[in-house]
Amino acid sequence: MMVIVTNNAPPRLRGRLAAWLLEVRAGVYVGTYSRRVRQRIWEQVEAAIGEGDAIMAWSTTGEQGFDFVTAGTNRRMPVDVDGLKLVDFRALEGEPAAPARGRQDDAAGR
């Protein structure tokens, strides 16, 4: 299974995605395709996303059970941490970066 979520996507891309996938909510598309077809659909998203942003997640047999990619400018960016893909939440321009929660090892000298 795969899911594509778009924000501020051009109408042409939304129409194209709706032709291939089921739009279960505005900007949320779901379907089941082979790896090759999934990659071709994503190529179309990357080429047409314009000023918007998108994420595609799909089932895999890896440790997490899923994988994902992003396109466009978004505050949430994927980061690989010891083989696990996590999401880094970036601050807005002009907004101070929030300190990492739960990390006191350097401050306490540990």
Side-chain angles (χ1 to χ4, degrees):
M1 174 183 267
M2 64 183 265
V3 177
I4 296 177
V5 180
T6 62
N7 287 307
N8 197 25
R12 182 176 181 187
L13 175 60
R14 292 187 64 184
R16 191 176 291 171
L17 287 172
W20 296 321
L21 305 161
L22 179 63
E23 188 174 13
V24 295
R25 253 212 168 142
V28 180
Y29 305 88
V30 179
T32 304
Y33 284 101
S34 68
R35 186 176 131 228
R36 174 183 257 174
V37 174
R38 182 179 70 234
Q39 289 173 336
R40 297 225 175 170
I41 291 172
W42 189 245
E43 287 171 4
Q44 296 291 312
V45 171
E46 288 180 314
I49 195 63
E51 296 294 317
D53 63 84
I55 182 169
M56 178 175 66
W58 64 94
S59 302
T60 66
T61 57
E63 185 72 24
Q64 287 180 292
F66 67 92
D67 200 359
F68 64 96
V69 292
T70 62
T73 304
N74 191 322
R75 292 179 66 188
R76 293 172 176 87
M77 299 302 292
V79 212
D80 185 271
V81 178
D82 294 331
L84 293 176
K85 197 177 269 189
L86 302 176
V87 176
D88 181 24
F89 192 75
R90 309 269 169 92
L92 290 172
E93 283 187 33
E95 181 179 279
R101 290 182 252 171
R103 304 228 27 203
Q104 300 173 356
D105 51 356
D106 291 334
R110 295 182 198 143

